[in-house]
Amino acid sequence: MLIRPLRSTASAVALLALILAVVPACTTALGKPAPRVTTGAPSTEPQITPMTDISAGCAGSSSEVEEASAPPGYVYAEWIGCGGIGFARSADSGRHFGAALTVPGSRGFSWDPAITVAADGTVYAAFMHSTGQGASMSNYPVIAVSYDHGATFSQVHQDLPPKPGNWGDRDFIAAGRGGQLFLTWDYGPSARAVKTLCARGGSCAYTAGDLNVVLQESGDGGATWGPLVHLEPGFPLGGGYSAPLIAGPDGRVDVLYDAHPTDPGSDAVHPGYEYFTSSADGTHWPAAPRPLWPGQGSLSLPAWWIDGDVSADAAGNLYATWDTQTAAGDIGWLTYSRDGGRTWSAPLRVTPDRDQAPHIVESAGGAPGIAYIAWQTSGTGPGYTTYLRPFSIQRGWLGPAVTVSGAYGHVQTWPGDTFGIARLPDGRISMTWGSALGASRTSAIYASVVTIPVLPADVRVRDRGELTDQGQGKEDQPERDLVEMAQFASAGGEGEHDRGRDGQDEGQYVHAGSRRSVQRSGR
């Protein structure tokens, strides 16, 4: 699903050549998506800044961007490109970005960026890196540290695996209290056991292997890391990968991850589900996390993108998004929890189209009870398009989906397994994404900032020109969600921890990003 390092040296060289190919990015529009969905008086219409190529100046392809923000107006973007891992920052809330640079320590074969910002403003730019060949090859996370708001990265720390020859993939990072960091990544003792399935115009997924989600903690800003903690049972055949996480101000850590049943004999994996797990201190974890709404469909093996995201609003309400692949099509979903993940609302359909196209669904928490749901897909037109839609726990959808990207991206050019989304301190939403536009077949990273006005309480979603055929039914009835939450708990959806976070001050929750948004405070 999310692989960058490939099992064979030939495959790795081929991918590296693709990443480093010297082809200038072109920003000429291939064609514009349907008009951006805005209705009503000008004062209530979403405002979107023109899309800007923030990877300009980097030779070759740029894709798979992650994003973070921090007060007073910093925006950080990290992606695959620039001869390794690219990085750019804005000091004026996304209005302008400085020149792109290559993150120190990333030259060579690096992939899967992840980024977070600590409470003191320290920026941690993580990524996966590969060294060696054959039995001596190692795949592991690297963390670059900036103490001057992303102007420079003065320290680079390698988080080496227990021994060489391992498989490693998709990292996520979250800043906790003080110099505390939490890092999840995909780990297997044997790279040779991992078999991949690669898609034209996409990346690679897994068909077999010793796939496992692990978590590590650092108490010194990433200089050293604790032992690998296995988040799902069955190591070394846990079947888990891709584990976005959140670190809360109370020390709690929440994780959403994919897991696929794995045959003990052949190491073959089968369609799986999203799992949620939580720890009060980031150290002690439940022995057997439960799947999150498996009745909505499974996660197929060919799905190459990052399937699943978790975020939190200012009150600590959790939002999980993912997409399933069924005979009815690839469908994006949203569920929320008001009690720290013990129970979850009935899944709400996010994506309106009915097709088999990828739907990369992510979210960023906002004010208490508010989240911003975004997705990138090629299913709504002749190319990739990125959308954003505000959601309220009390009122449902707060408006129609907004088309953020100003042009379609070529379907046969990989935009990355993720895009970036972050809530800025002033309440606006910064978004970044990869796309190949015009005559170019080389992806670049684009950025826009979206302002979504608060609608009056008496204005219903359908009065705002909502996209039709959402398949959601009674979306404006929160009591329906409470019933479903109770049913979920009685069916075994209840976790080990019961914590209500409603009422916390805005600006106290930290999100870990890598595909998603990562912010130092208040989303």
Side-chain angles (χ1 to χ4, degrees):
M1 174 180 179
L2 339 163
I3 194 165
R4 279 292 157 279
L6 303 180
R7 199 161 62 90
S8 69
T9 301
S11 297
V13 171
L15 180 57
L16 180 59
L18 174 63
I19 294 174
L20 302 181
V22 182
V23 182
C26 176
T27 56
T28 303
L30 164 69
K32 294 184 178 181
R36 301 186 182 190
V37 185
T38 57
T39 59
S43 61
T44 63
E45 290 184 355
Q47 303 296 317
I48 307 171
T49 62
M51 55 190 286
T52 303
D53 180 358
I54 64 173
S55 59
C58 282
S61 180
S62 292
S63 55
E64 190 154 323
V65 63
E66 299 297 340
E67 185 175 341
S69 68
Y74 289 107
V75 179
Y76 306 106
E78 184 188 11
W79 65 88
I80 301 174
C82 301
I85 298 296
F87 176 87
R89 69 165 188 160
S90 169
D92 58 3
S93 299
R95 295 181 183 89
H96 307 89
F97 279 82
L101 58 85
T102 303
V103 177
S106 71
R107 289 197 179 276
F109 191 19
S110 297
W111 68 100
D112 282 352
I115 189 166
T116 191
V117 187
D120 63 0
T122 302
V123 180
Y124 297 94
F127 53 89
M128 295 299 297
H129 188 70
S130 183
T131 57
Q133 295 182 354
S136 65
M137 181 183 70
S138 294
N139 299 326
Y140 51 87
V142 176
I143 299 89
V145 186
S146 173
Y147 297 106
D148 54 8
H149 305 289
T152 61
F153 288 87
S154 58
Q155 296 183 8
V156 177
H157 305 302
Q158 296 179 337
D159 180 18
L160 297 176
K163 61 181 181 179
N166 74 295
W167 164 78
D169 202 24
R170 171 41 74 184
D171 54 318
F172 291 86
I173 190 168
R177 296 173 292 189
Q180 188 180 40
L181 292 174
F182 295 96
L183 176 76
T184 62
W185 56 294
D186 308 339
Y187 170 78
S190 173
R192 292 185 176 183
V194 177
K195 294 179 173 61
T196 61
L197 176 65
C198 299
R200 182 180 181 184
S203 59
C204 300
Y206 312 117
T207 59
D210 50 353
L211 315 176
N212 306 273
V213 168
V214 297
L215 178 140
Q216 291 180 275
E217 179 185 356
S218 172
D220 54 12
T224 60
W225 292 89
L228 302 178
V229 177
H230 304 289
L231 294 185
E232 85 275 46
F235 180 83
L237 300 179
Y241 47 83
S242 179
L245 74 163
I246 296 171
D250 57 357
R252 184 170 297 275
V253 180
D254 300 314
V255 179
L256 183 73
Y257 68 89
D258 301 350
H260 296 250
T262 306
D263 292 340
S266 64
D267 292 355
V269 297
H270 301 277
Y273 303 100
E274 298 286 347
Y275 287 74
F276 175 82
T277 188
S278 181
S279 169
D281 56 9
T283 302
H284 302 89
W285 295 86
R290 295 188 177 97
L292 189 63
W293 296 111
Q296 301 306 121
S298 63
L299 313 178
S300 70
L301 297 187
W304 48 262
W305 53 96
I306 303 293
D307 193 336
D309 187 23
V310 63
S311 66
D313 64 26
N317 300 302
L318 301 176
Y319 302 86
T321 57
W322 75 104
D323 63 305
T324 57
Q325 297 79 46
T326 68
D330 188 291
I331 303 171
W333 301 99
L334 163 67
T335 182
Y336 62 84
S337 174
R338 291 181 281 193
D339 57 8
R342 292 186 65 249
T343 57
W344 293 85
S345 70
L348 187 66
R349 179 168 180 159
V350 173
T351 56
D353 48 304
R354 298 180 182 274
D355 47 58
Q356 299 293 339
H359 294 82
I360 307 173
V361 189
E362 304 176 13
S363 66
I370 303 295
Y372 299 90
I373 314 303
W375 64 99
Q376 185 178 41
T377 183
S378 58
T380 54
Y384 281 104
T385 310
T386 306
Y387 298 93
L388 178 67
R389 196 175 192 192
F391 174 80
S392 164
I393 289 178
Q394 295 297 326
R395 298 167 57 193
W397 295 116
L398 295 179
V402 177
T403 305
V404 179
S405 51
Y408 290 114
H410 286 288
V411 174
Q412 296 304 322
T413 299
W414 180 59
D417 293 357
T418 68
F419 58 87
I421 176 173
R423 181 173 181 255
L424 303 179
D426 62 10
R428 295 183 299 159
I429 305 300
S430 173
M431 294 192 66
T432 48
W433 65 95
S435 273
L437 307 181
S440 175
R441 294 298 185 270
T442 301
S443 178
I445 302 300
Y446 297 93
S448 285
V449 177
V450 185
T451 303
I452 299 182
V454 177
L455 298 178
D458 59 348
V459 177
R460 296 175 62 85
V461 173
R462 296 188 185 280
D463 296 333
R464 304 295 303 147
E466 177 192 2
L467 293 178
T468 59
D469 199 19
Q470 292 281 347
Q472 294 160 5
K474 303 175 181 178
E475 63 182 15
D476 295 318
Q477 299 184 19
E479 65 274 13
R480 170 177 176 266
D481 292 328
L482 295 177
V483 172
E484 295 291 351
M485 290 171 71
Q487 291 174 350
F488 178 75
S490 64
E494 187 171 340
E496 292 191 356
H497 307 291
D498 182 5
R499 59 186 164 91
R501 296 182 182 137
D502 291 339
Q504 289 187 2
D505 293 337
E506 183 172 358
Q508 290 188 341
Y509 220 68
V510 180
H511 181 285
S514 213
R515 148 187 19 256
R516 339 209 174 287
S517 66
V518 191
Q519 293 189 19
R520 178 171 78 74
S521 61
R523 313 216 326 214

